Amino acid sequence: MTTERLDQPRALRRTLRPHYDPEAFGRLSEQIARFLGTARFIVYMTVFVGVWVAWNVVAPPNLKFDPYPFIFLTLMLSLQASYAAPLILLAQNRQSDRDRIQYEQDREAAERNQAEIAYLTREIAGLRLALNEVATRDYLRTELGRFVEELKERR
């Protein structure tokens, strides 16, 4: 029995599962989902289905590959939908994760701003109190005028 050593990296193990980069796959799924949500995709899909149906209705019998009930077309559209739905959900999950992180960052920034505003408010209040104790120009003039008057009276 071997125990894993913490001072050495683990040996690489071969697995039968395919390796993929989840981040790259997520980005690809977002690009696909973004494309599936466009008018361009709807136009392309409409043209594709229209050409498929027209070919299988108008073409000579020996060139038709999907006769009237269009079962193969239904299978193809179902396959496309079965891949599109999970990709769209994956893209939505990634977007909701990004939104959650952005919300947390916004909340932290708002808390910092609120703390800074409270600090500045206290500083302004302190300055106002300090200014009330400082002699103003008019006060000094008045006091100097009284002092001059007292000096004149004493002479």
Side-chain angles (χ1 to χ4, degrees):
M1 177 176 175
T2 62
T3 58
E4 289 189 36
R5 295 188 52 173
L6 297 177
D7 62 338
Q8 295 178 351
R10 290 182 179 170
L12 292 176
R13 291 186 244 161
R14 296 201 180 254
T15 62
L16 296 177
R17 293 183 305 176
H19 175 72
Y20 71 97
D21 180 14
E23 191 62 30
F25 186 75
R27 284 191 303 270
L28 176 66
S29 70
E30 287 176 340
Q31 290 173 347
I32 292 171
R34 206 170 288 122
F35 175 69
L36 291 177
T38 63
R40 179 183 293 170
F41 172 75
I42 293 172
V43 169
Y44 289 166
M45 188 57 85
T46 303
V47 168
F48 174 77
V49 170
V51 168
W52 185 294
V53 169
W55 180 267
N56 287 293
V57 168
V58 177
N62 61 340
L63 296 178
K64 292 180 182 180
F65 56 90
D66 190 19
Y68 166 63
F70 309 118
I71 294 175
F72 188 52
L73 175 63
T74 305
L75 176 67
M76 296 297 289
L77 293 175
S78 297
L79 181 65
Q80 182 268 334
S82 70
Y83 276 99
L87 288 174
I88 291 170
L89 289 174
L90 177 62
Q92 286 176 342
N93 289 341
R94 287 173 53 89
Q95 184 61 45
S96 67
D97 290 343
R98 277 195 300 275
D99 290 344
R100 182 180 44 79
I101 290 169
Q102 184 65 43
Y103 169 75
E104 288 296 321
Q105 291 172 347
D106 290 347
R107 186 183 56 77
E108 290 170 3
E111 287 175 355
R112 280 193 308 272
N113 289 341
Q114 192 173 17
E116 288 175 7
I117 289 171
Y119 169 75
L120 291 174
T121 302
R122 287 191 303 275
E123 287 294 312
I124 290 172
L127 288 172
R128 283 184 178 167
L129 290 174
L131 280 176
N132 285 338
E133 296 171 4
V134 172
T136 63
R137 182 180 60 191
D138 293 337
Y139 175 75
L140 286 175
R141 282 186 181 160
T142 306
E143 289 300 312
L144 286 173
R146 284 186 193 156
F147 183 65
V148 169
E149 291 294 323
E150 283 180 25
L151 286 176
K152 285 181 184 178
E153 289 174 9
R154 288 186 185 173
R155 271 201 242 171

